[in-house]
Amino acid sequence: MRYFKEVEEMKNLYSEDAFTGLEAAIVLIAFVVVAAVFSYVVLGAGFFTSQTAQATVHTGVQQASSSLELVGNVYGIGDGTTSLKYINTTVALTAGGTPMDLSQMVVSYNDGTTLNASMQYDGTAACTNTITGGTTGRVQWCIAQKINANTDNLLEPNEQFVIAVGMPTSTGPNTKFTVNFQPSVGAVLPVIRTVPGGISAVQPLY
């Protein structure tokens, strides 16, 4: 009898309330851990989305704004007959623009009669002679002169490049044409001009 009495007293030492509290603490800790992990995942996804959006905005601004600008007039060089041989246009970087390799630029031409979506780049030293040398040369463009610059094709701040663009034989008097300069990064710089009624050796185009 005494043995059973001691066993009964030992059972009474253990409280069901203690086990219930321990279970509640375990459940609470589990919820806290799950919430912490979930918060970390959500915050990580938010930071990633924010960085992606920021990069998209910067890329969009960079692509939407042209890094090139015209400097001065656009001059048309006549071929001595009834059309232009080529045009000379001076370009420079816009304020805050980053250096760019103009040899990677895509130049296109359109006058409603003749369309050339990608004119051939001529990297020779005497490129204007090649451009004015016949029908084949007329579809080319080149860097004719570099002002305040070194010998490479990298247009940098405070530098100016004179771009010569060969004209097709359809560029006669009163012809309106568009030459697009598409740099590797940035928006297109369109040059829209009209050939005057009479063509001389050199004339500004408006």
Side-chain angles (χ1 to χ4, degrees), residues 71-146:
V71 179
N73 292 326
V74 177
Y75 293 94
I77 311 302
D79 65 356
T81 57
T82 59
S83 63
L84 296 179
K85 290 181 179 180
Y86 62 93
I87 63 170
N88 275 339
T89 177
T90 305
V91 297
L93 292 177
T94 56
T98 57
M100 64 174 61
D101 185 359
L102 289 195
S103 64
Q104 304 300 317
M105 183 170 61
V106 176
V107 178
S108 61
Y109 173 90
N110 184 23
D111 64 12
T113 301
T114 303
L115 172 64
N116 193 328
S118 181
M119 304 180 72
Q120 181 182 355
Y121 171 68
D122 184 356
T124 60
C127 61
T128 53
N129 294 334
T130 304
I131 286 179
T132 60
T135 304
T136 303
R138 288 176 181 270
V139 298
Q140 296 176 335
W141 71 276
C142 70
I143 302 173
Q145 185 180 359
K146 301 173 183 178

Side-chain angles (χ1 to χ4, degrees), residues 73-74 192-196 204-206:
N73 292 326
V74 177
I192 303 174
R193 294 293 186 272
T194 301
V195 182
L205 304 178
Y206 301 100

Side-chain angles (χ1 to χ4, degrees), residues 9-20:
E9 290 177 354
M10 291 180 64
K11 287 183 178 180
N12 292 333
L13 293 176
Y14 298 97
S15 174
E16 292 294 333
D17 294 338
F19 280 105
T20 303

